Each structure stands twice: as structure tokens, then as C-alpha cells.
Amino acid sequence: MKMQTRRHIILLVAVMLCGIIAHAQSFTLAGTVVDTEGKPVEFATVACASQAKVTMTDLKGRFSLQLHSADSVVVRFSMVGYKAKQRILRRPKGKQTLRVVLNPMESLDEVVVTERRRQTTQSEQLDIKDARHQPSTTGNAVEELIQQQAGVSTHNEMSSQYNVRGGSFDENSVYINNIEVYRPFLVRSGQQEGLSVINPDMVGGIQFSSGGFAAKYGDKMSSALDITYRQPSKTEATASASLLGASAYVGMGGKRLSMSHGIRYKTNKYLVGSLETNGEYKPDFFDYQTYICYRPDSLWSIDFIGNISENHYTFQPENRETSFGTLMDVKTFRVYFDGWEKDVFRTFFGALDITRRLGRQTTLSLLASAFYTKEQETYDIQGQYWLDDVNKNSNIGVGTYMEHARNYLTGKVGNVKMLVKHKAQKHELEAALAMKFENIEENSREYEMRDSSGYSIPHTPDRLDLIYSLRSQNSISSRRLEGYVMDTYRFASSGEKTSFFTLNYGVRFSHWSFNGETTVSPRMSLAIVPAFSHDVTLRFATGLYYQAPFYKEMRDTSTVNGQTIVTLNENIKSQQSIHLVAALDYRFKMLSRQFKLTTEAYYKRFHNLIPYNINNVKVTYYGQNLCNGYAAGLDFKLYGEFVPGTDSWLTFSLMKTNQKLGGMSMPLPTDQRYALNLHFTDYFPGTERWKMTLRLAFADGLPFGPPHSGLERMLFRAPAYKRADIGLSYLVAGGASRKQGQWYRNVWIAADCLNLFGINNVNSYYWVTDVNDNQYAVPNYLTGRRFNVRLTLEL
């Protein structure tokens, strides 16, 4: 009995010794992974290959890993877009705590994308490299990238403007480095548009939200585009030239000072030469930008952005011939022109950002910006037209029209903002207070005379009336006080399986001196990475959004004896929209490649809408809050490697809009019921030097009606917008074959076919009257098929 008891004691002691030895040979590695700015790196991989142990950081960049001790333990930290880092631990014991800082890749060429960063807010991160080497008609690569996203629509390849979920062009806010930017006011057609203020060569980051966006974004109802310019860490340069323009970029970086300079020139003379109106086109658009960053020490930073834009558009039409109708009822419209059009859009923009670090977690910034625009739109164009019935071989209409405009506008916008950011354990707080100063002066006169078969339209026996005549001489000086408070709270559930949560909530307020209106806009979004699958992200967002009136929305009109006079409505109020958004992101692998499927359902309720008409890209408002309405829809996006090593995506959108005006229900002018977009990239078999990019668009046509008439007469719908662009790029030199010490990085040559199938898409309509007083809508077609050649040199 004693012998058996002794054996039990020996066995128990042996087990305890084994446990102590095993415990002594294991240790816990914990810590955080952050970027160079101290921000947590979410879902970074922490791996010990020798022990086959791996984990990922949470939404706060934290990790914990149980490992066995040894003479040396090698742990690797990695994340897409960052340089991997390796730590060697010598005879680790107990609990080891690390703070690992990952440095970003110096250039996009070094990044091999295996997984995109998870979207935990309503702003989607877009990749600027997707905009490079794609066929382009406007030269505005970022806006063209936005136009291909779910819920976004455009019906004019010559314009960089876009509609988002039923909103107008004016409902989209754009920011560059926390500064709101503006565009010219008088642009009315795509061929007049120059280069946007965003220079794609200088862009480092793109965040885009199509609804439910955070409180830090200003008083717009539809979308927020947030651009971050990058700071070069070394000397770099890019030069590009094509049949549609040229650009050059130089970046220089050092320890304390970095700067970027970009020059762009655009001419769409070759492109507009495919329009049906023949004549002499002279479009010249020039743009210069600079971005300078100075870091005198670790506490202070000073950033400056400057932009000068000079856009000229001169046009002298000669003739036009358009066929329209059906196979059984073909009409031809022939016009011979006299006259000219001369437009000038000159803008200046500057912004200064002075930031002071108040400890490791707090920054205080003073931002100041100024925008100045001087615009003139002048034209005198007379057209003599013939309208023929081809099937009957007869003339059914003849007449003359005369269009005249002398429109001048000067605008000044100044902004001073104080911005503070603070990071706590699980919170990222942000607050700002801003004062805006606005001054707009307009002096415009437009008229249109139309004569049909010798009779002026509209015909009155006792006087001569013009079909349209407008006079506007107004000015406004006002101030806006704006501010917001916002917090992003990241937390996780406890338990064996963990769910991650990101809650963004805040409130925004604004006061306008012109009408004394004060608005308060609460907003909130929640993202959930559920415990049952970390490949799924659920997102919900809601908020009350206001579209504060700017100059164009305030222009109220009254017509007396055929003369339309424009006055500024002092009782105008902000348009209001309530957003409800529910989304699901699902990340999965198929054929050993990464994919992401996003589905979003939204409902937007509108109040105090200011109704408007759209002609080409010109938005004309009623100048009064007359409507209520809604927009509802579904957006789908599949993003991933359709072909290994490339990124492509497919989007599909469904939408329904409605507004009530004077007791009548009607769709919004931007009621695009469906849209399908494809962005597809591929390499030629056996080589990565040849790259192909294909863009397809198929979108529902928009409502339209006779000009200078109300929305009640928008009873027609334009044909669907259908377009295909394809581009082939060849890496002539550089890439993997680049030799050490070569003065260039890459040399690309590309050939694009724009409007591959030569489809005649309708931009707008010109209305003519025959001898029987019947009206015909003559389509104004967009550009035809064109070939472009590009040469790009990267240093």
C-alpha cells in the first residue's frame, strides 16, 4: 500500500514538473501595429512561420499570440500597402509587448495587392492606380473613376461631372486635404469644361461616399469625395502626351521639405471634331498646381496647395445635318450657321494648413483657403434650318433662329477653419469650426429669337416677342458659420468568438447670414464584423443632410411681357434629405483570387427641394422651395481579380425617384432607373508588358421636355446611354527588366479607341416647329468613334 502511494506521488510530481517546464518554454507576444502617423493598422498579419502560428490585428491594431520560446523567435508583420517588418526575439519569456511601426510603400509599383482594406465607414477607399492607363476623354482621371462606381451616373463623356443616387451635379462635395474646392458656375456644356481641380498625378488617396457620409463633410445631399495629395519621399517625375493634351509632374522629397508641381494642358479639338456640328473649334485648357509640405520639427507642419486654371473655348460653327426618327418616318435637319462663341473661365485657388502636435495623440490645425473665379460666356449664333421628310421627299419646315448671350460672373470664396483631432484608447475625436465668406457678382443677358416660315415664335399680332429673353444683374455678400463634432468608436465583443464594431457618430451645424437660417445635421454609421464570419461586414448609416443654397439655387425668375428677370430669393431655405442606408460586404476567394461583393440598399426622403431643369450639363433652378420627394434603390458592386494580377469591377444599380410639384408627381430630372458598368483589365498571354483596359457603360436615359418649359412637360425619356472604350498599353522599357542606375522607371505607349462601336448617344435636344405648328425634338448627339495615342514617361 505504501509502495502504491509513493508511486502516485512520484507520478503527480512528474506531471507538475512537465507542466512547469512547458509553461517556461512558452510566452505571450502582444502589442500594436501602427503606421508612421501612429494610426492603427487594421487586419495586419502577425506570423511566426517556424511555429506555424498566425493572427491578425483588430480594429485598434492590437494583437496577441501564444508562442514557444527558443534561442531566437522570428515574427513577421505585414499588410498590403506597407513594407513588411521582421522582429527577432532572443530567448523570450513571460509576456513580450511590442509596438511595431509599418512604413508605407514608396511607390505603387512595389505593392502587390492580395487583400483590400476593409471598409468600416461609409467612405470607400478607391485605388488611384485603377485610374492610370485607362482610356480617357476628359483628362480628369479621378472623376472618370468615380463615374464608374455603383450609384453614380453620367450621360456625357466630355464632362467630369456626375450624379449620385438621383442628385444633381451641385449636390456633390469635393475636398482636397480637408479643404472644400469649387468649380466654375457658368459652364453649360461638356465641351466647355476644362480640367478639374484634382490633378491625378498628385493624388495619394481617394475616399468616396455615395450616401450616409460622416459629419465632417459639408452641406451637400448626395456624395462626398475626399482627396489626399501625397508627399513624395524622393525625387520623381512623370510626363505624358496624347492627341488630347499633355501633362508633366515633378515631385521632390526630403527630411523636412517636400514639394510637388504639376502642369496640364488639354485640348478636345480632336474629340469635338466628331460632333455633327461642323466648324472651327479652339478649346484650350491650362492648369498648374503645387503642393508644398514643410516640417521644421516633430511638432509643426506647414502645407500649401496652389492652383491656377485658365480655360478658353472658342467656336465658330458652319453647318450641321442630323437624321432622326424611325425607319418608317425619317426626318433630316440641316442648318447653316453664322456667328461665334467665346468663353473664358479663369480660376485661382490657394490653401494653407498649419498643424501643431499637442502630444502624441492630439493635433491642432489652422486652415485657410481662398477661391477666385472670373468667367465670361459670350456668343452670337444664327442658324438657318430646313426640316425635311425623307419618306415623302418634301420640306415640312424652314426657319431661322438667333441665340445671343453676354454672361459675366465673378466669384470669391474665403474660408478659415480651426480643426482639432484627438485619439483616445478606442476613440478618434474630431471637431472643427469654420467661417466662410462669399461674394458673387453676376451680369447676364440672354435671348433667343426663333422664326418659322416667316413668323416669329411665339406669334402675337400686336408686338414682336422672343421665345426666350433673360436679364440678371445681381450680387451677394454673405457669411456662413459652420462646425462639427465627430467621434469614431472602435470596440469588440468579449467571448471565444469576437465581433468587431466601428461606430461613427457626430453632429454638424451651419448658420447663413443671408437668410438667417440655422441647420443642425446629426449623422451616424455602424459597421459590424460579425463573429460568425470575419469575411462579412454589415454597415448601417442614417443622418439628416442639408443642401445649403449657393448662388445658382437662389436665382428666382419672374416673366413680364416676355422678359424674364432674375432676382435673388431672400426666403430661400436649405434643401433637406434623410438618408437610410444598409449594406453588406462579403469578401471571398474564387479560383485562388480575392473578390469583394458589396450590396447597398438606400432610401432618401427629400423636403424643401428646389426643382431644376438640366440641359446638357447646365442646371437651371426654379429659385424656390417647391417640392418634396424621395429616391430609393439598390447598388451592387463586384470587385476583384477577374484576371490574376489585375483589378476589375462590375456594378449594377436600380433606382426610382419621385417629386411632387404643384400637386403633380413626376420623376427627378436625374431619374436613371438602371445602370450597368464594367471596368475590366487584362494582360496579354505570356507577358505583363501588354495591358488592356475595357470600360463599358449601359444606363437608362433621362427625362426631357421642350426647352424653357416647366418640369410638368418633361414627358419624354431619352434613349439609353451606351458606350464602350478600350485601351491597350505597352511597357516599352522598365518594370522588372529595369537595370540598376537607369534614369527612368517606366516608359509606356498606349492606343485607345474611344466609343468603340460608334454609338450615337444623345446629349440634349433642339426643338423646331414645322408649318403646321408641330414641334420636333432634334437630337444633339455626343462624340463619335475616335482613336487616341498616349506616351507616358515615369522617372
Side-chain angles (χ1 to χ4, degrees):
M1 189 70 179
K2 290 183 179 179
M3 182 65 69
Q4 188 175 4
T5 302
R6 190 178 297 148
R7 288 177 179 174
H8 287 166
I9 294 173
I10 293 172
L11 181 60
L12 180 61
V13 171
V15 171
M16 292 176 64
L17 287 174
C18 289
I20 293 172
I21 293 171
H23 180 74
Q25 290 178 342
S26 65
F27 71 99
T28 300
L29 178 64
T32 58
V33 179
V34 298
D35 60 17
T36 53
E37 297 181 355
K39 297 180 179 179
V41 179
E42 308 168 3
F43 304 104
T45 301
V46 183
C48 179
S50 62
Q51 300 184 24
K53 294 290 186 69
V54 64
T55 188
M56 298 180 72
T57 60
D58 62 15
L59 298 179
K60 295 294 293 182
R62 298 171 300 194
F63 67 92
S64 180
L65 194 62
Q66 198 76 21
L67 299 171
H68 297 295
S69 184
D71 289 340
S72 63
V73 178
V74 180
V75 182
R76 189 174 186 270
F77 303 85
S78 61
M79 178 62 187
V80 61
Y82 296 88
K83 293 181 179 179
K85 185 165 286 189
Q86 186 172 282
R87 290 290 183 89
I88 301 177
L89 308 177
R90 303 294 182 184
R91 298 183 181 89
K93 298 178 181 180
K95 184 176 181 179
Q96 302 284 322
T97 303
L98 296 178
R99 185 177 188 269
V100 180
V101 179
L102 295 183
N103 297 313
M105 292 290 190
E106 293 183 357
S107 70
L108 290 171
D109 296 335
E110 302 179 35
V111 180
V112 179
V113 176
T114 58
E115 181 179 2
R116 294 183 63 83
R117 185 169 183 174
R118 188 185 300 267
Q119 182 180 345
T120 55
T121 67
Q122 279 304 108
S123 293
E124 180 185 6
Q125 180 179 325
L126 304 179
D127 202 333
I128 183 62
K129 77 177 182 61
D130 291 330
R132 295 194 171 106
H133 306 300
Q134 70 172 355
S136 173
T137 54
T138 67
N140 300 316
V142 173
E143 286 84 351
E144 290 183 338
L145 180 65
I146 299 298
Q147 290 171 353
Q148 300 172 66
Q149 304 306 309
V152 183
S153 63
T154 181
H155 290 77
N156 190 337
E157 64 272 7
M158 291 187 291
S159 173
S160 62
Q161 300 185 57
Y162 50 87
N163 308 110
V164 179
R165 293 178 174 174
S168 73
F169 302 135
D170 301 318
E171 296 178 19
N172 308 310
S173 60
V174 181
Y175 290 80
I176 298 179
N177 289 16
N178 294 315
I179 302 293
E180 188 173 6
V181 296
Y182 303 87
R183 60 182 179 84
F185 295 87
L186 295 182
V187 172
R188 59 181 173 85
S189 65
Q191 53 263 40
Q192 287 178 314
E193 278 192 32
L195 293 156
S196 80
V197 69
I198 304 172
N199 188 327
D201 292 328
M202 302 170 69
V203 171
I206 305 173
Q207 295 278 342
F208 178 71
S209 175
S210 56
F213 38 90
K216 69 177 181 178
Y217 298 118
D219 297 321
K220 301 289 186 179
M221 291 199 303
S222 290
S223 74
L225 174 60
D226 193 347
I227 301 295
T228 303
Y229 276 178
R230 59 192 177 92
Q231 302 175 16
S233 58
K234 58 183 179 181
T235 301
E236 58 188 22
T238 302
S240 179
S242 75
L243 297 177
L244 300 178
S247 66
Y249 160 79
V250 176
M252 294 169 283
K255 185 176 180 180
R256 294 186 177 181
L257 180 67
S258 66
M259 61 178 67
S260 304
H261 303 277
I263 298 177
R264 295 178 294 167
Y265 171 74
K266 168 186 169 182
T267 174
N268 54 14
K269 180 178 182 179
Y270 171 67
L271 192 64
V272 297
S274 64
L275 299 176
E276 289 193 329
T277 300
N278 299 313
E280 186 175 357
Y281 294 88
K282 291 182 180 179
D284 294 296
F285 311 114
F286 171 81
D287 170 272
Y288 166 75
Q289 281 194 49
T290 182
Y291 176 38
I292 301 173
C293 311
Y294 178 54
R295 306 287 184 267
D297 53 41
S298 60
L299 299 179
W300 289 91
S301 64
I302 303 173
D303 296 349
F304 173 76
I305 297 177
N307 172 250
I308 300 173
S309 179
E310 183 84 9
N311 300 325
H312 293 257
Y313 177 76
T314 303
F315 173 45
Q316 188 171 354
E318 294 177 357
N319 59 73
R320 163 186 174 174
E321 183 170 345
T322 303
S323 297
F324 64 99
T326 65
L327 289 175
M328 303 302 295
D329 185 19
V330 180
K331 303 288 191 299
T332 61
F333 178 67
R334 290 177 295 127
V335 189
Y336 295 93
F337 296 100
D338 288 311
W340 48 264
E341 176 179 354
K342 294 182 180 179
D343 305 325
V344 178
F345 304 94
R346 183 177 294 116
T347 60
F348 301 89
F349 172 73
L352 181 67
D353 179 354
I354 302 175
T355 299
R356 173 70 158 85
R357 282 193 174 273
L358 307 175
R360 292 181 57 185
Q361 305 297 328
T362 306
T363 60
L364 179 65
S365 302
L366 176 64
L367 300 95
S369 65
F371 171 78
Y372 173 82
T373 180
K374 189 175 181 63
E375 307 171 23
Q376 73 171 44
E377 180 188 44
T378 60
Y379 54 83
D380 286 287
I381 297 177
Q382 175 181 277
Q384 296 177 327
Y385 68 85
W386 285 261
L387 181 64
D388 296 327
D389 188 322
V390 175
N391 298 73
K392 297 179 180 180
N393 195 24
S394 63
N395 177 264
I396 58 175
V398 61
T400 301
Y401 66 86
M402 171 73 180
E403 296 177 340
H404 166 92
R406 293 293 185 271
N407 299 330
Y408 303 94
L409 184 141
T410 302
K412 304 171 187 175
V413 180
N415 184 19
V416 179
K417 180 165 72 173
M418 186 71 71
L419 172 66
V420 61
K421 297 181 180 180
H422 175 72
K423 296 179 182 178
Q425 290 184 349
K426 297 182 179 180
H427 297 265
E428 291 184 18
L429 297 166
E430 185 174 326
L433 184 65
M435 178 66 79
K436 288 184 180 180
F437 305 90
E438 301 168 355
N439 179 270
I440 309 291
E441 296 180 0
E442 180 198 15
N443 188 359
S444 298
R445 183 172 181 84
E446 301 177 2
Y447 67 78
E448 180 181 349
M449 182 275 292
R450 191 179 300 176
D451 179 282
S452 178
S453 302
Y455 291 93
S456 179
I457 301 174
H459 177 67
T460 52
D462 55 344
R463 67 172 186 267
L464 179 63
D465 286 336
L466 300 174
I467 193 171
Y468 167 69
S469 177
L470 178 140
R471 175 68 173 164
S472 176
Q473 188 169 5
N474 295 287
S475 65
I476 178 177
S477 293
S478 63
R479 300 178 306 278
R480 298 180 196 261
L481 178 65
E482 301 176 347
Y484 67 87
V485 178
M486 185 182 75
D487 178 32
T488 301
Y489 176 39
R490 293 183 172 90
F491 58 99
S493 64
S494 58
E496 184 178 347
K497 293 186 177 181
T498 304
S499 296
F500 299 100
F501 302 86
T502 301
L503 176 64
N504 178 277
Y505 57 97
V507 62
R508 185 179 186 88
F509 75 90
S510 175
H511 176 79
W512 190 24
S513 66
F514 181 76
N515 61 358
E517 182 185 30
T518 300
T519 60
V520 179
S521 173
R523 308 174 187 181
M524 182 179 68
S525 66
L526 175 66
I528 305 172
V529 182
F532 65 80
S533 176
H534 285 181
D535 290 324
V536 172
T537 304
L538 303 172
R539 292 183 285 110
F540 306 92
T542 186
L544 177 61
Y545 295 83
Y546 288 94
Q547 175 85 18
F550 209 50
Y551 185 75
K552 289 198 297 185
E553 292 98 315
M554 301 159 52
R555 299 171 81 246
D556 192 7
T557 59
S558 58
T559 303
V560 179
N561 294 329
Q563 176 75 38
T564 301
I565 304 297
V566 177
T567 57
L568 301 184
N569 183 3
E570 296 183 0
N571 298 315
I572 197 80
K573 294 183 180 298
S574 295
Q575 302 177 87
Q576 184 188 99
S577 175
I578 300 174
H579 290 198
L580 297 172
V581 182
L584 183 147
D585 300 332
Y586 177 54
R587 303 188 303 174
F588 62 96
K589 277 192 173 183
M590 185 171 60
L591 303 176
S592 299
R593 299 195 291 272
Q594 291 283 350
F595 289 87
K596 176 184 174 183
L597 176 64
T598 298
T599 303
E600 286 198 11
Y602 63 90
Y603 177 79
K604 300 195 294 185
R605 187 68 185 179
F606 304 127
H607 299 281
N608 289 333
L609 284 183
I610 305 172
Y612 58 88
N613 288 306
I614 298 178
N615 184 18
N616 203 313
V617 298
K618 182 180 180 180
V619 181
T620 304
Y621 291 89
Y622 277 48
Q624 299 180 47
N625 303 96
L626 300 175
C627 293
N628 294 324
Y630 69 86
L634 289 170
D635 291 332
F636 304 90
K637 180 178 180 180
L638 177 63
Y639 184 99
E641 298 182 29
F642 291 19
V643 174
T646 67
D647 292 329
S648 304
W649 63 89
L650 174 70
T651 67
F652 179 64
S653 298
L654 296 171
M655 183 179 67
K656 177 177 175 57
T657 69
N658 183 267
Q659 64 179 345
K660 281 193 174 182
L661 175 63
M664 292 182 59
S665 293
M666 63 197 71
L668 289 169
T670 54
D671 182 59
Q672 180 179 272
R673 297 171 297 186
Y674 60 86
L676 179 68
N677 284 279
L678 173 67
H679 181 106
F680 179 74
T681 56
D682 193 6
Y683 290 104
F684 275 44
T687 179
E688 292 188 356
R689 288 187 170 272
W690 284 96
K691 184 177 182 179
M692 183 274 292
T693 302
L694 174 66
R695 298 191 316 179
L696 300 177
F698 182 74
D700 186 26
L702 301 181
F704 75 95
H708 315 306
S709 61
L711 292 172
E712 304 88 345
R713 300 187 64 187
M714 295 280 181
L715 305 176
F716 309 97
R717 189 172 286 269
Y721 181 83
K722 303 177 287 290
R723 186 174 175 89
D725 298 324
I726 189 170
L728 297 176
S729 301
Y730 177 64
L731 182 60
V732 179
S737 63
R738 179 191 174 198
K739 297 180 180 179
Q740 190 69 24
Q742 281 185 339
W743 58 275
Y744 59 86
R745 285 191 295 126
N746 298 306
V747 179
W748 290 89
I749 188 169
D752 302 332
C753 182
L754 308 174
N755 196 357
L756 176 64
F757 302 115
I759 298 173
N760 289 327
N761 287 304
V762 177
N763 178 33
S764 58
Y765 290 87
Y766 186 81
W767 292 74
V768 296
T769 306
D770 66 9
V771 293
N772 297 315
D773 205 29
N774 297 316
Q775 282 193 313
Y776 295 87
V778 182
N780 297 316
Y781 293 116
L782 286 164
T783 58
R785 185 187 295 113
R786 277 291 187 261
F787 296 93
N788 187 29
V789 179
R790 291 179 285 117
L791 177 65
T792 303
L793 175 64
E794 300 173 356
L795 307 179

